[in-house]
Amino acid sequence: MAASGELITLFSKYIEDCLGLHFPKERAEDLERAVRGAAAGLGFKDAESCMRSFLLAPASREQVEALAGYLTVGETYFFREEKTFDALRELILPGLIRLRRKTGRHLRIWSAGCATGEEPYSIAILLHSLLPDFKEWNINILATDINPHFLKKAAGGIYGEWSFRNASSFRDRYFRKVEKDRYGLLPAIKKQVTFRYHNLAGDAFPSLSNGTNAMDVIFCRNVLMYFSRKVQKEVVRKLYSSLAENGWLAVSPVEMSSRLFSPFTRVDFPGASMYKKEKGKNFPDKKEENGGLSAFDPASALPADQPPEEDLKHTFGPGQAGAAPQHEGATVFPAEGQKKGTGAQRGPSLSYRDALDMYREDRYEEAAGMAVRLLRAGGEGEENKVGKKKALALLSRIYANQGRLEDALRMCEETISLDKLDPAPYYLLAVIRQEMGELAEASAALKKAVYLDPGFVLAYFVLGDIARRQGYFAESKKYFDNALSAMGRYGRDDLVPESDGLTAGRLIEIISNNIREMAEA
């Protein structure tokens, strides 16, 4: 029995609110067909009863994720859209590799909407073929999807003949036959990819807490087409912010749009096109929200003789990045009761809250400019020490999100030097160390954080995640259990401290999924 048009419209709105997936009226039949398939798998007699159940009663995350599996297409294969991989192999990755040989051997790549894993594994195989010293590199390949069944299959790394239909030549080198017409990926390649659940329409990014920051390349192909125009714009804005400067975004040819991707520079290669993030470009809609002008001009707060590009390393002497600059009369972290407007500031007033708002809006250059100026203008005293610590911690986050890991590390260490008993900077230090591939140092910093604060949820979570990725499942579960216990004081909708917007309920789901997957491994 066909569902009514009104019911399908209501359910389409529900799907968009929950998952960001958009089914316009002209795709009503596609939606009903997908729900009909979901109904059988979820225990309903038909599509109508399935839709009514989701609309009338709150569904669990497991039910919503299972439904998503029927609404999205997981059809993919190795080296799909071959010309895009040719551009990576011949031009983009060689340039990144040359640069990183000089500045630190690390690469960060994200496959957003990875389906059953062929795409991120193709990237790992490509990097292995390009790097004779592959083992000496810190390579992070993040692969995310909203379909837990896809992620489970991807993590297994076993594929049939159909997945190799476009690139069977590499199969004998990187796979071993495990059964008739089934091939398992070599562990050395498999371990380069981290699979995680992530909803582009609802979960936070870019974020240090889930590793979606400072990417060199992002693949987001055949994903945006599922979203409404409004959701597409927000997702593209966040993808832009998740890229390091001069980072690259790959979308499918049918998703390319000069308006939607206007902040990027389109670069055409033989048979393929990609988008590049170049320094200094902003989203037009962000300017329009501020009356057509940027809310803050970093150069306007500088003394007249100070060049705008001056960085902290030029402001302070060796080992003095947190020292009080000699800026007589200027006070930006005023003591309690002090009047605003005193001092010798130039340009608009300086405010940590403004800098934080800029950071939250992904306006990293402006936020960094404000934070640097706050540090330059600060004075002595306990109140200013607190202000310096906040500005340094913010700079550390900004630099980490920009991929400037050495600068982020330096700011973080300066923050700790001001207050060795604050657990938060140790967590931030650990995340930066983790991105640099220094897992032992990251674990040590996290253990320091939970020593100072036994209820530090995210520190336990990251300790558990590091142990899980290393195959220490018993140790991982212990840390995950500690995180779940520490979350007892939070409501499901409460934001987890230091998480960049992650709710306690969402973190509980992530941890529970990790524990379940380890039990099934």
Side-chain angles (χ1 to χ4, degrees):
M1 180 176 112
S4 69
E6 182 182 2
L7 179 61
I8 292 174
T9 299
L10 288 172
F11 191 69
S12 176
K13 178 66 167 57
Y14 171 83
I15 290 300
E16 188 165 337
D17 290 342
C18 282
L19 297 167
L21 303 180
H22 180 57
F23 285 86
K25 289 182 179 180
E26 55 268 26
R27 292 192 61 204
E29 289 186 10
D30 293 338
L31 176 58
E32 185 176 11
R33 189 181 308 111
V35 177
R36 196 179 301 127
L42 295 173
F44 297 99
K45 65 178 182 179
D46 53 33
E48 181 175 350
S49 60
C50 180
M51 287 189 236
R52 291 190 183 280
S53 176
F54 275 93
L55 289 170
L56 293 175
S60 68
R61 170 58 62 175
E62 289 76 15
Q63 288 175 310
V64 173
E65 289 175 350
L67 178 64
Y70 293 93
L71 300 176
T72 55
V73 178
E75 173 63 18
T76 187
Y77 47 88
F78 286 98
F79 294 95
R80 185 179 183 180
E81 294 175 15
E82 187 177 6
K83 295 299 182 182
T84 298
F85 280 97
D86 287 344
L88 276 178
R89 178 187 296 106
E90 296 167 13
L91 296 165
I92 294 173
L93 288 177
L96 281 169
I97 290 168
R98 282 194 299 271
L99 175 65
R100 294 295 161 72
R101 284 196 184 280
K102 300 175 183 177
T103 60
R105 300 185 181 192
H106 67 275
L107 290 169
R108 293 175 58 78
I109 300 177
W110 180 12
S111 170
C114 67
T116 47
E118 286 92 333
E119 180 177 87
Y121 285 142
S122 295
I123 296 167
I125 289 168
L126 179 56
L127 283 170
H128 188 272
S129 69
L130 291 173
L131 291 168
D133 53 347
F134 184 77
K135 292 181 180 179
E136 297 177 18
W137 283 70
N138 176 28
I139 294 173
N140 290 295
I141 302 174
L142 175 66
T144 64
D145 205 277
I146 61 171
N147 188 322
H149 301 294
F150 288 169
L151 292 171
K152 185 175 181 180
K153 178 179 177 181
I158 297 175
Y159 298 93
E161 294 280 2
W162 193 236
S163 291
F164 301 98
R165 59 189 180 274
N166 195 48
S168 59
S169 59
F170 67 86
R171 190 182 62 199
D172 291 342
R173 181 179 177 187
Y174 291 103
F175 289 80
R176 295 292 179 266
K177 182 175 277 192
V178 293
E179 55 186 88
K180 184 180 179 181
D181 299 329
R182 304 286 290 173
Y183 301 85
L185 185 64
L186 294 180
I189 304 300
K190 184 178 170 184
K191 71 178 184 179
Q192 298 301 322
V193 182
T194 299
F195 290 97
R196 287 182 180 151
Y197 178 94
H198 187 268
N199 182 353
L200 287 170
D203 288 339
F205 71 102
S207 172
L208 289 169
S209 62
N210 57 23
T212 52
N213 61 300
M215 292 293 170
D216 295 304
V217 183
I218 298 177
F219 277 69
C220 188
R221 302 189 296 177
N222 303 300
V223 176
L224 296 172
M225 64 176 65
Y226 288 105
F227 298 148
S228 67
R229 187 70 175 180
K230 179 181 178 182
V231 174
Q232 285 177 352
K233 286 181 66 176
E234 181 64 10
V235 169
V236 170
R237 182 182 72 81
K238 291 182 176 182
L239 289 173
Y240 185 88
S241 299
S242 296
L243 282 168
E245 287 179 2
N246 298 314
W248 294 85
L249 173 66
V251 298
S252 70
V254 298
E255 294 170 316
M256 301 200 85
S257 163
S258 58
R259 291 190 63 185
L260 187 60
F261 297 96
S262 59
F264 291 88
T265 297
R266 174 170 168 163
V267 181
D268 293 324
F269 301 97
S273 298
M274 291 180 67
Y275 289 112
K276 186 178 183 181
K277 174 180 178 177
E278 299 202 48
K279 187 175 181 178
K281 282 196 174 183
N282 295 314
F283 272 68
D285 58 341
K286 280 294 174 186
K287 292 183 178 180
E288 291 165 6
E289 289 171 9
N290 292 310
L293 295 172
S294 176
F296 175 73
D297 176 8
S300 65
L302 283 167
D305 60 348
Q306 181 68 61
E309 295 301 317
E310 193 75 346
D311 197 22
L312 274 176
K313 61 185 177 182
H314 303 300
T315 304
F316 307 109
Q320 299 178 22
Q326 301 302 311
H327 196 170
E328 199 170 325
T331 304
V332 291
F333 307 122
E336 196 70 31
Q338 183 174 356
K339 292 182 180 179
K340 293 182 179 180
T342 60
Q345 296 181 48
R346 298 182 182 224
S349 61
L350 300 178
S351 162
Y352 170 77
R353 184 176 295 276
D354 288 345
L356 185 61
D357 287 343
M358 292 171 186
Y359 169 76
R360 288 170 174 166
E361 293 173 6
D362 307 326
R363 293 155 56 194
Y364 297 142
E365 291 294 336
E366 295 170 78
M370 178 74 84
V372 169
R373 288 157 185 80
L374 285 168
L375 287 169
R376 289 174 178 163
E380 298 294 345
E382 190 61 30
E383 188 73 20
N384 286 314
K385 179 180 176 181
V386 172
K388 289 178 193 176
K389 189 175 75 168
K390 290 163 66 176
L392 283 165
L394 181 59
L395 271 174
S396 185
R397 285 183 173 274
I398 293 168
Y399 290 159
N401 279 357
Q402 292 178 316
R404 297 170 57 181
L405 297 183
E406 292 293 343
D407 290 332
L409 185 63
R410 184 163 56 93
M411 293 299 98
C412 199
E413 289 172 341
E414 288 288 345
T415 310
I416 292 171
S417 73
L418 292 175
D419 184 358
K420 292 182 171 61
L421 299 181
D422 183 356
Y426 290 100
Y427 165 75
L428 186 54
L429 178 68
V431 174
I432 296 167
R433 291 288 191 191
Q434 185 180 15
E435 289 192 11
M436 297 172 80
E438 300 171 355
L439 298 186
E441 293 84 350
S443 295
L446 290 167
K447 289 172 182 176
K448 181 72 172 180
V450 296
Y451 171 78
L452 293 169
D453 178 6
F456 202 140
V457 171
L458 273 186
Y460 286 123
F461 170 69
V462 178
L463 277 167
D465 193 50
I466 290 174
R468 180 184 65 85
R469 289 168 62 185
Q470 294 177 315
Y472 304 138
F473 291 166
E475 182 181 353
S476 175
K477 186 177 184 305
K478 180 189 72 174
Y479 287 125
F480 283 151
D481 287 341
N482 287 341
L484 292 173
S485 176
M487 274 191 286
R489 55 180 166 168
Y490 299 110
R492 289 190 65 85
D493 294 330
D494 291 343
L495 295 181
V496 179
E498 305 298 321
S499 71
D500 293 323
L502 186 68
T503 65
R506 184 73 193 96
L507 185 56
I508 289 170
E509 291 160 1
I510 292 170
I511 292 173
S512 299
N513 285 340
N514 284 339
I515 292 174
R516 183 170 61 251
E517 288 171 6
M518 287 190 298
E520 294 173 353

